[in-house]
Amino acid sequence: MGCPQVCSGATLQCSFGVAPSMLSVLPQNRTLTAGMPAANIMDHIPLVNILPFGMCQSLANPMVAAATAAALGVLTPMPCIPATATPWIPGGPPTMLLGNMPSLDSNSTLMCNWAGVIKIAMPGQVQMLIP
């Protein structure tokens, strides 16, 4: 059995974010899963698909580095502005294409330019096993 398909409303977590976020998927691929638009690896656009994770704690983020330097080296988180320039990394071999791109499954990861790794905490739908 494969991983659950990820859809709009999925819960995301960044390794340097202090709060979870949600995935927003536009209905451009015209495919629904659990009644919501299904995601593919190209749904990585900051502030469109990837919403902020509260505050960012990564020193690779220039805003965090500047605030930390101003605080004499005390880590000072700053508001998260996702910087996801590349598509999602599939969690395994593609099993389905959406809009000619691999669909997003719950094992996929996304890299932030500020060294964060974004993972899918809850795909937006669940699989039920019926005995």
Side-chain angles (χ1 to χ4, degrees):
M1 180 182 313
C3 292
Q5 171 67 36
V6 176
C7 61
S8 190
T11 304
L12 307 177
Q13 185 63 56
C14 177
S15 58
F16 284 110
V18 299
S21 180
M22 288 183 62
L23 178 68
S24 177
V25 180
L26 303 176
Q28 63 194 21
N29 293 323
R30 298 186 185 116
T31 303
L32 300 179
T33 184
M36 300 296 286
N40 71 18
I41 63 168
M42 297 308 290
D43 292 317
H44 69 92
I45 309 302
L47 304 176
V48 173
N49 304 119
I50 310 298
L51 303 177
F53 295 90
M55 303 292 276
C56 179
Q57 303 180 82
S58 174
L59 287 174
N61 182 333
M63 292 190 319
V64 175
T68 299
L72 304 174
V74 177
L75 179 63
T76 307
M78 294 300 290
C80 169
I81 300 173
T84 52
T86 59
W88 286 86
I89 301 166
T95 57
M96 183 171 73
L97 296 179
L98 291 176
N100 293 325
M101 291 291 170
S103 64
L104 201 58
D105 68 33
S106 60
N107 288 332
S108 301
T109 56
L110 181 62
M111 303 303 296
C112 179
N113 291 353
W114 311 137
V117 177
I118 299 170
K119 295 187 176 186
I120 298 160
M122 206 290 273
Q125 69 166 342
V126 294
Q127 290 180 332
M128 294 180 59
L129 298 177
I130 300 173

